[in-house]
């Protein structure tokens, strides 16, 4: 919570004479003026004040989605500091992540955000909207269309339950049997369960006839109702509801120019679009269909408005770096026209039908009052000329960067205090805030704390006096997601007073201020697969065997004199047409039937026949035989006496606070389990299971730190040299500010380096050793090994597992895997090994779009070109060293502008390391490699992977390879090519 005096301090920015000129201009509501001299951070601080001064909604036009995300994040932090606007009044409308005419639909998460934002704009809740030029150019429907997308339901209102569900399905919700994930809805008689996209918990709406009798939140795990509420707002998941009228309008437009075949002749339209157009032409008037990318064609049904029309004529329009915006708009428009020409659909649908051009947008903006915001253009003392009188100039500049030098930072603070500057120092998290306070105390610099947690002060350095110490010249420490600082030089002409805000990157170059969103309620680790059960599917009843599922039946159960409850039953049909009714409350007795072999339908069991009991007994005996050896091993571990690590120290808490993100609930649960295991005398043997990129490494780092703080050594075992190298870089970066020595042993090291490392490990001079199979060598001796971390355990063979068993006798072991082998998973599920599961994705993680296609040079060229256009990188997996150089040459021919590098396991160590580092540093656009990249590579810019001869890879290997992309907030593509 920001304390009130901080907002008073930030409000000093309004004392600037330049701000007063802008305020008068915006309040007048006529004409446009150029505003220069504002840095990116200054812009974010001033914009909320501009909007408040204008007393009208505002639109900020930026170049692209990346610029919109950066400005929006800065605006939220600025609003937190100043309080000029509420956070929910500042919105971002993203542009689509794909272009039209590519036969690709926009990502569902982008559609969801656009739909919610457009509804808020249409319903008058937006005061400041940030949007890239592509989003502003898009043709939209009228305000009423978007205002009707969301549903506000209140207790006592009358609604037809089926119509409520139909509306929710039309705006993107998925109809299921059991609601346990956002975006789902179900109806059971007079009860509607729904989970909205921005809700912490789903709600259960109970109808009495058509009247809403009650609205209650419920737990998605137990399905039990809890809190009663009076109303619920259900936001849409898509801005283009798939209504029959809309689809018919699109179909009619695609067939209006006579023969579809003639219209497409000679074009390179995606085959699915050609097929759809041809089908639409032959079935005109007999129903409408959906095809990939249909959402782009929605404007042809009569959408003629734009975002400017939606926000209204009183809107103040700000253009951030207008030359850059127009330049990006022209390049984007050129790409759209190229896609249209390549699609070869002629005049069926033109680019002008879907968007207005950047030049038309420029003309329209001239009619709106506002400002062009340029960072350059302020008066420079070295310049002999001044800008014209219509330009309003601010005197702001970036703060000094200290690159981790605390003495230099302290010296600068003292100078600013002498000059009576108003100084704020922003820290990205609580741990960094406390560290800064401790440093200032150590150097004898007075400070005030401008931030307080809901629970009050969380460290001794936050004494009550520190909140009030000093006068207005005393630096103020606040927790805010400000990356780069700013210095405002013209607050008051009379006193020449300055306002200085230091950001996290000013002190530490590697700080990451962007935190993850509010944690969402945890769902069950293993959700029942009955949600996709269809009538006619085969199931297994624990007591009676294999049966056929024949649907649900609802019966009335009398609960009292005047009340009755509805009881839902599953109908299971066994042999001889025998029926068994199973209440939904006993779903634990049912499993969907699965077989490893394709073949005829299974034979149904007879109710009451002992054959099923004999089958279970036979399987049970086989399982007992397999488990006997394992039980011996784990009995030895239970009896062994291991190291009981000490509870968390202050340094451990400081290490955790230095994590730049908010942990997910799953991560916190896994960390708590691992700490409890390590503090016990019984040796830990835990499996940490989680999808690729879900934060398993951070959990392992905390376990490693806990071992190191007690003087123990840690070994991290990886299956490949590439993963070993990636972990080494990650651990070094994470432990850089702590007295921990991290080393790596792999074939990337020379023989001399390996010998030296082995000696240091034996002497206890290495705290954390990361390595490949060399970790398992008998020649490697640890002075005091306390923890073994095994990454991707499923990649190690029987011989390695035997060595691991020996090492496991008395030390703690943490195994990590995204795709554990069935035996490992089963051992964890039955309790032979402990298991923690991480299933919550990181912030803004988008699902990877996976395409299975035949090998096609045109597809390869398009995929790489699209990735290059958005400044990304591409993996091309060709798992044959003999032909990999031919494939790299082919890629260079297809995409001449792409920089291609080759990497495979047979390269000399130095050359492979050089290739990997160069690709990680962005020196190459395409990495043509074997499956050596399967594990560990974490390159956020690489978001397209093309896997040649995907049929030669196993399912686990394909899953891991696909996990190399989609590790950021960009949409990722995986192309699996087959002959």
């Amino acid at each position: 919570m920001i304390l009130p005096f901080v907002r008073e301090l930030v409000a000093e920015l309004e004392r600037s004479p330049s701000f007063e000129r802008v305020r008068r201009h915006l309040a007048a509501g006529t004409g446009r003026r150029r505003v220069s001299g504002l840095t990116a951070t200054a812009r974010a601080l001033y914009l909320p004040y501009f909007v408040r001064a204008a007393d009208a909604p505002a639109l900020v036009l930026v170049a692209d989605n990346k610029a919109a995300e950066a400005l929006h994040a800065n605006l939220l932090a600025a609003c937190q500091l100043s309080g000029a606007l509420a956070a929910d009044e500042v919105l971002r409308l993203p542009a689509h992540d794909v272009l039209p005419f590519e036969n690709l639909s926009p990502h569902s998460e982008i559609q969801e955000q656009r739909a919610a934002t457009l509804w808020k704009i249409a319903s008058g809740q937006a005061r400041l909207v940030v949007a890239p030029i592509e989003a502003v150019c898009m043709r939209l429907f009228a305000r009423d269309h978007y205002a009707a997308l969301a549903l506000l339901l209140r207790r006592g209102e009358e609604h037809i339950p089926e119509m409520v569900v139909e509306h929710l399905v039309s705006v993107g919700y998925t109809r299921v049997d059991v609601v346990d994930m956002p975006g789902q809805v179900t109806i059971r008689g007079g009860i509607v369960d729904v989970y909205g996209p921005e809700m912490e918990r789903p709600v259960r709406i109970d109808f009495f006839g058509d009247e809403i009798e009650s609205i209650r939140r419920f737990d998605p795990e137990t399905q039990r109702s809890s809190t009663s509420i009076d109303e619920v707002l259900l936001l849409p998941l898509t801005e283009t509801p798939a209504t029959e009228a809309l689809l018919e309008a699109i179909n009619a437009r695609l067939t209006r120019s006579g023969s579809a075949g003639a219209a497409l002749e000679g074009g390179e339209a995606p085959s699915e679009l050609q097929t759809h157009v041809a089908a639409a032409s032959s079935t005109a008037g007999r129903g409408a269909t959906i095809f990939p990318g249909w959402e782009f064609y929605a404007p042809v049904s009569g959408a003629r408005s734009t975002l400017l029309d939606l926000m209204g004529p009183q809107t103040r329009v700000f253009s951030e770096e207008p030359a850059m915006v127009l330049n990006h708009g022209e390049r984007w428009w050129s790409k759209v026209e190229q896609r249209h020409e390549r699609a070869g659909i002629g005049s069926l649908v033109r680019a002008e039908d879907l968007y207005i051009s950047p030049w038309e947008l420029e003309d329209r903006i001239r009619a709106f009052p506002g400002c062009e915001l340029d960072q350059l253009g302020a008066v420079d003392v070295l310049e002999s000329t001044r800008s014209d009188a219509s330009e309003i100039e601010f005197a702001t500049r970036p703060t000094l960067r200290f690159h981790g030098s605390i003495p230099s930072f302290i010296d600068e603070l003292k100078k600013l205090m002498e000059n009576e500057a108003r100084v704020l120092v922003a820290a990205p998290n609580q741990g960094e805030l406390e560290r800064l306070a401790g440093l200032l105390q150590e150097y004898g610099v007075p400070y005030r704390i401008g931030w307080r947690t809901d629970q009050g002060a969380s460290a001794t350095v936050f004494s009550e006096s520190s909140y009030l110490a000093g006068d207005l010249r005393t630096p103020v420490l606040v927790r805010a997601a400000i990356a780069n600082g700013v210095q405002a030089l013209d607050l008051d002409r009379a006193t020449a007073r300055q306002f200085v805000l230091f950001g996290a990157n000013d002190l530490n170059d590697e700080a990451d201020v962007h935190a993850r969103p509010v944690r969402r309620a945890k769902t069950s680790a293993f959700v029942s697969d009955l949600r996709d059960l269809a009538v006619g599917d085969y199931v297994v009843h624990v007591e009676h065997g294999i049966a056929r599922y024949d649907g649900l039946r609802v019966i009335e159960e009398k609960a009292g004199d005047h009340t009755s409850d509805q009881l839902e039953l599953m109908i299971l049909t066994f042999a001889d047409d025998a029926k068994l009714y199973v209440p939904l409350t006993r779903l634990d007795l049912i499993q969907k039937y699965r077989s490893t072999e394709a073949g005829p339908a299974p034979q149904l069991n007879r109710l009451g026949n002992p054959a099923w009991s004999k089958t279970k007994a036979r399987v049970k005996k086989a399982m007992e035989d397999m488990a006997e050896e394992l039980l011996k091993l784990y009995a030895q571990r239970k009896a062994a006496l291991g190291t009981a690590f000490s509870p968390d120290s202050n340094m451990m808490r400081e290490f955790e606070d230095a994590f730049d993100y908010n942990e997910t609930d799953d991560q916190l649960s896994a960390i708590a389990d691992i700490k409890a295991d390590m503090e016990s005398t019984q040796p830990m043997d835990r499996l940490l299971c989680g999808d690729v990129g879900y934060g398993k490494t951070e959990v392992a780092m905390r376990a490693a730190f806990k071992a190191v703080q007690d003087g123990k050594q840690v070994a991290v075992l990886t299956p490949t040299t590439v993963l070993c190298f990636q972990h080494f870089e990650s651990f070094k970066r994470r432990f850089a500010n702590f007295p921990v020595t991290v080393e790596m042993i792999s074939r990337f090291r020379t023989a001399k380096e390996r010998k030296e490392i082995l000696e240091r490990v034996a002497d206890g001079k290495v705290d954390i050793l990361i390595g490949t199979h060399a970790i398992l060598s008998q020649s490697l001796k640890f002075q005091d090994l306390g923890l073994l971390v095994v990454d991707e355990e499923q990649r190690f063979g029987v011989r390695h597992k035997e060595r691991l068993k020996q090492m496991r006798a008395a030390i703690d072991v943490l195994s990590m895997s995204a795709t554990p082998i069935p035996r490992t998973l089963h051992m964890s599920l039955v309790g032979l090994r402990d298991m923690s599961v991480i299933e919550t994705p990181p912030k803004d993680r988008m699902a990877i779009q996976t395409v299975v296609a035949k090998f096609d040079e045109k597809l390869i060229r398009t995929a790489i070109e699209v990735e290059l256009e958005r400044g990304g990188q591409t993996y091309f997996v060709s798992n044959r060293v003999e032909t990999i150089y031919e494939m790299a040459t082919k890629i260079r021919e297809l995409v001449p502008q792409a920089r291609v590098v080759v990497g495979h396991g047979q390269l000399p160590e130095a050359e492979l390391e050089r290739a990997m580092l160069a690709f990680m540093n962005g020196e190459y656009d395409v990495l043509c490699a074997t499956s050596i990249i399967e594990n560990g590579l974490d390159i956020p810019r690489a978001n397209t992977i093309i896997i040649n001869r995907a049929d030669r890879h196993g399912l686990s290997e394909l899953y891991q390879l696909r996990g190399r992309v989609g590790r950021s907030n960009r949409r990722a593509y995986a192309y699996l090519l087959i002959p």
Side-chain angles (χ1 to χ4, degrees):
M1 179 181 68
I2 294 291
L3 295 179
F5 74 84
V6 174
R7 291 180 172 169
E8 295 173 11
L9 191 153
V10 179
E12 291 274 320
L13 292 170
E14 292 184 288
R15 296 170 63 90
S16 162
S18 299
F19 173 78
E20 178 59 24
R21 293 177 65 194
V22 175
R23 187 196 66 76
R24 289 198 302 267
H25 165 66
L26 293 172
T30 55
R32 303 188 60 77
R33 298 189 71 173
R34 184 168 181 261
V35 174
S36 62
L38 290 175
T39 68
T41 304
R43 204 173 287 158
L45 287 168
Y46 271 111
L47 271 169
Y49 288 126
F50 289 167
V51 176
R52 191 169 70 176
D55 195 23
L59 169 66
V60 184
L61 181 65
V62 298
D64 53 21
N65 274 342
K66 186 176 180 181
E69 289 170 12
L71 178 59
H72 184 248
N74 285 338
L75 283 169
L76 292 179
C79 289
Q80 179 190 14
L81 289 176
S82 68
L85 294 178
D88 56 4
E89 295 177 320
V90 182
L91 306 176
R92 176 172 66 91
L93 182 69
H96 290 139
D97 56 330
V98 290
L99 294 175
F101 315 114
E102 286 185 342
N103 197 43
L104 292 171
S105 288
H107 196 279
S108 57
E109 292 179 17
I110 286 183
Q111 293 193 65
E112 175 187 323
Q113 185 176 355
R114 283 183 56 85
T117 301
L118 288 169
W119 176 79
K120 290 173 182 176
I121 292 171
S123 56
Q125 298 183 30
R127 294 192 66 188
L128 178 57
V129 179
V130 181
I133 187 170
E134 300 169 39
V136 183
C137 285
M138 187 173 181
R139 294 194 185 276
L140 301 175
F141 292 97
R143 181 184 295 267
D144 293 346
H145 170 89
Y146 300 107
L149 291 180
L151 271 184
L152 178 61
L153 302 178
R154 294 187 177 91
R155 191 168 56 185
E157 289 182 343
E158 290 193 355
H159 296 272
I160 300 174
E162 275 292 350
M163 291 187 67
V164 169
V165 174
E166 283 180 17
H167 172 82
L168 293 175
V169 171
S170 74
V171 294
Y173 286 73
T174 304
R175 192 164 181 168
V176 295
D177 290 331
V178 179
V179 168
D180 56 15
M181 298 287 286
Q184 295 180 339
V185 63
T186 188
I187 182 170
R188 298 188 304 276
I191 296 176
V192 174
D193 289 352
V194 59
Y195 202 158
E198 295 186 5
M199 293 163 54
E200 289 188 5
R201 286 198 166 191
V203 295
R204 181 161 290 150
I205 307 167
D206 197 349
F207 286 85
F208 182 76
D210 291 342
E211 182 182 338
I212 298 177
E213 193 171 42
S214 68
I215 304 174
R216 291 165 294 163
R217 294 190 178 96
F218 69 89
D219 188 332
E221 294 182 42
T222 64
Q223 298 288 307
R224 292 179 181 272
S225 301
S226 55
T227 318
S228 179
I229 55 178
D230 293 327
E231 64 180 35
V232 61
L233 175 65
L234 303 174
L235 294 177
L237 297 175
T238 177
E239 63 186 290
T240 50
T243 62
E244 191 68 23
L246 176 60
L247 294 174
E248 284 180 355
I250 293 173
N251 277 263
R253 183 58 174 269
L254 288 173
T255 58
R256 70 175 186 178
S257 299
S259 168
L264 293 172
E265 186 176 354
E268 297 184 18
S271 56
E272 291 86 349
L273 181 56
Q274 292 187 9
T275 303
H276 171 75
V277 174
S281 192
S282 61
T283 61
R286 287 183 283 159
T289 59
I290 286 177
F291 58 95
W294 71 271
E295 297 90 347
F296 282 105
Y297 300 98
V300 303
S301 66
R304 310 308 299 167
S305 300
T306 64
L307 183 60
L308 293 171
D309 302 311
L310 206 63
M311 295 190 67
Q314 299 303 314
T315 303
R316 307 301 193 260
V317 178
F318 299 89
S319 183
E320 183 186 62
E321 304 293 345
M324 189 183 300
V325 170
L326 184 59
N327 181 264
H328 179 86
E330 290 173 352
R331 284 187 283 115
W332 159 75
W333 187 256
S334 176
K335 291 177 192 174
V336 172
E337 291 185 324
Q338 286 174 12
R339 297 296 190 279
H340 178 264
E341 185 178 351
R342 186 181 297 177
I345 59 175
S347 60
L348 292 178
V349 178
R350 300 168 304 159
E352 291 82 359
D353 296 323
L354 312 182
Y355 304 96
I356 63 172
S357 72
W359 305 279
E360 184 180 346
L361 176 65
E362 192 178 22
D363 292 338
R364 292 194 184 189
I365 286 177
R366 291 196 186 102
F368 286 82
C371 304
E372 272 71 42
L373 306 175
D374 268 312
Q375 181 169 338
L376 300 179
V379 176
D380 192 316
V381 294
L382 300 178
E383 294 287 343
S384 59
T385 59
R386 296 181 60 91
S387 57
D388 62 84
S390 66
E391 180 176 332
I392 302 174
E393 300 161 350
F394 283 80
T396 71
R397 66 186 182 195
T399 46
L400 294 173
R401 302 293 286 268
F402 302 101
H403 309 290
S405 174
I406 300 302
S408 301
F409 172 61
I410 297 297
D411 289 343
E412 180 65 16
L413 275 185
K414 290 178 178 178
K415 288 178 187 175
L416 291 170
M417 292 172 66
E418 290 172 3
N419 293 329
E420 299 188 358
R422 306 295 185 253
V423 181
L424 278 173
V425 185
N429 53 55
Q430 191 74 9
E432 190 65 20
L433 193 66
E434 294 178 7
R435 191 175 78 87
L436 281 171
L439 285 171
L440 294 183
Q441 279 189 353
E442 184 180 332
Y443 281 90
V445 178
Y447 64 89
R448 289 183 292 168
I449 298 295
W451 166 270
R452 178 179 281 164
T453 63
D454 293 338
Q455 292 78 29
S458 61
T460 54
V461 294
F462 284 10
S463 62
E464 189 61 31
S465 60
S466 71
Y467 285 92
L468 306 173
D471 54 24
L472 292 176
R473 295 172 298 175
T474 305
V476 178
L477 307 185
V478 293
R479 180 177 174 180
I482 301 289
N484 302 304
V486 65
Q487 198 166 358
L489 307 176
D490 60 346
L491 292 191
D492 191 330
R493 284 178 179 168
T495 62
R497 191 165 62 242
Q498 300 179 30
F499 170 89
V500 183
L501 169 63
F502 289 105
N505 290 136
D506 295 336
L507 278 68
N508 183 359
D509 295 333
E510 296 182 354
D512 187 351
V513 302
H514 299 298
R516 287 177 184 164
V518 178
R519 299 166 191 147
R520 184 170 277 168
K522 176 184 174 185
T523 57
S524 175
F526 292 95
V527 180
S528 169
D529 59 358
L530 296 176
R531 116 166 35 101
D532 57 355
L533 193 65
V535 173
D537 287 348
Y538 293 94
V539 296
V540 180
H541 191 285
V542 172
E543 301 296 335
H544 303 293
I546 301 173
R548 187 179 66 247
Y549 169 64
D550 283 338
L552 295 173
R553 175 174 293 181
V554 180
I555 64 171
E556 296 287 337
E557 185 180 40
K558 196 168 181 62
D561 294 338
H562 303 289
T563 62
S564 62
D565 288 337
Q566 291 185 332
L567 186 62
E568 289 185 285
L569 304 169
M570 291 181 70
I571 306 171
L572 305 185
T573 303
F574 290 82
D576 300 329
D577 207 28
K579 306 285 186 186
L580 181 69
Y581 295 86
V582 181
L584 289 186
T585 55
R586 293 312 312 271
L587 283 179
D588 56 306
L589 299 175
I590 310 296
Q591 288 184 349
K592 191 172 181 179
Y593 174 83
R594 299 189 185 279
S595 175
T596 56
E597 300 176 1
Q603 185 176 355
L604 302 182
N605 287 104
R606 296 176 183 274
L607 280 176
N609 192 295
W612 178 247
S613 298
K614 291 178 181 178
T615 301
K616 286 200 300 181
R618 187 170 65 252
V619 173
K620 184 178 180 181
K621 178 66 169 61
M623 294 297 295
E624 287 173 351
D625 293 341
M626 183 189 77
E628 185 174 352
E629 181 185 350
L630 297 172
L631 283 170
K632 288 179 183 177
L633 171 65
Y634 285 91
Q636 292 173 3
R637 284 184 57 80
K638 291 287 184 184
L641 191 64
T643 301
F645 291 95
S646 58
D648 289 354
S649 63
N650 286 333
M651 186 175 286
M652 180 73 193
R653 282 187 282 272
E654 186 177 339
F655 179 78
E656 292 181 331
D657 287 337
F659 186 46
D660 292 323
Y661 305 94
N662 291 332
E663 303 88 345
T664 61
D665 278 354
D666 293 338
Q667 278 182 307
L668 291 172
S669 177
I671 291 165
D673 291 342
I674 290 168
K675 285 181 178 179
D677 288 351
M678 294 181 71
E679 291 171 13
S680 166
T681 55
Q682 182 183 319
M684 174 176 72
D685 189 12
R686 181 170 289 275
L687 171 67
L688 179 60
C689 189
D691 208 344
V692 286
Y694 273 34
K696 299 188 295 293
T697 304
E698 172 62 23
V699 177
M701 286 179 179
R702 297 195 183 185
F705 195 93
K706 191 173 184 68
V708 169
Q709 74 172 1
D710 272 15
K712 294 289 185 179
Q713 290 173 295
V714 178
V716 181
L717 176 61
T718 66
T720 66
T721 52
V722 173
L723 177 55
C724 177
F725 179 72
Q726 182 87 31
H727 274 334
F728 178 57
E729 293 293 318
S730 301
F731 271 71
K732 270 202 315 182
R733 189 164 52 247
R734 186 73 170 87
F735 286 83
N737 296 326
F738 299 90
V740 177
T741 304
V742 182
E743 266 299 352
M744 174 184 74
I745 184 166
S746 72
R747 67 187 183 91
F748 281 169
R749 298 294 197 196
T750 64
K752 181 180 178 182
E753 289 173 333
R754 283 199 290 268
K755 182 181 177 183
E756 182 188 344
I757 291 170
L758 292 177
E759 291 174 355
R760 292 171 59 204
V761 170
D763 294 340
K765 296 178 180 177
V766 174
D767 299 309
I768 301 174
L769 180 64
I770 303 169
T772 52
H773 300 75
I775 293 279
L776 303 175
S777 170
Q778 298 284 356
S779 62
L780 177 58
K781 304 295 183 186
F782 287 89
Q783 185 186 68
D784 191 5
L785 182 63
L787 173 67
L788 171 66
V789 178
V790 185
D791 198 6
E792 303 300 342
E793 188 188 27
Q794 79 280 1
R795 295 293 304 278
F796 295 95
V798 175
R799 183 166 56 86
H800 306 125
K801 295 281 179 66
E802 290 301 321
R803 173 65 177 147
L804 288 174
K805 286 179 186 177
Q806 298 171 15
M807 297 179 71
R808 276 180 172 145
I811 64 170
D812 287 3
V813 179
L814 174 63
S815 303
M816 302 189 295
S817 179
T819 54
I821 60 175
R823 189 176 81 164
T824 300
L825 187 59
H826 183 266
M827 287 163 59
S828 300
L829 291 175
V830 300
L832 289 175
R833 296 179 68 181
D834 297 316
M835 181 171 69
S836 297
V837 179
I838 300 177
E839 60 170 355
T840 309
K843 177 196 175 190
D844 295 336
R845 179 61 54 89
M846 294 184 176
I848 301 167
Q849 175 155 329
T850 307
V851 178
V852 180
K854 292 179 180 179
F855 184 91
D856 183 359
E857 293 182 357
K858 205 159 46 176
L859 174 65
I860 295 171
R861 183 183 69 233
T862 301
I864 297 175
E865 284 179 347
V866 168
E867 191 60 56
L868 285 175
E869 285 172 358
R870 58 178 184 168
Q873 296 170 286
T874 302
Y875 297 109
F876 189 98
V877 179
S878 182
N879 210 26
R880 288 290 183 271
V881 176
E882 298 83 4
T883 60
I884 194 169
Y885 289 97
E886 294 177 19
M887 193 58 68
T889 303
K890 174 64 70 177
I891 294 171
R892 291 188 183 101
E893 292 173 357
L894 291 172
V895 193
Q897 69 271 31
R899 300 166 297 172
V900 183
V901 66
V902 176
H904 57 79
Q906 295 180 19
L907 283 174
E909 290 83 355
E911 191 175 337
L912 178 60
E913 181 181 7
R914 204 159 41 240
M916 292 297 180
L917 269 176
F919 186 70
M920 290 168 64
N921 293 333
E923 296 174 23
Y924 291 95
D925 303 310
V926 180
L927 173 61
C928 189
T930 58
S931 56
I932 191 174
I933 67 166
E934 174 186 347
N935 299 104
L937 273 189
D938 185 2
I939 303 176
R941 284 187 58 213
N943 283 297
T944 294
I945 186 167
I946 304 169
I947 305 173
N948 191 29
R949 288 310 301 264
D951 53 308
R952 290 178 173 172
H953 296 268
L955 184 60
S956 172
E957 194 173 35
L958 285 175
Y959 189 79
Q960 291 284 357
L961 285 169
R962 195 186 69 144
R964 295 313 100 215
V965 297
R967 303 175 78 91
S968 68
N969 58 358
R970 283 189 177 187
R971 187 177 191 180
Y973 301 90
Y975 297 90
L976 311 184
L977 305 183
I978 57 177

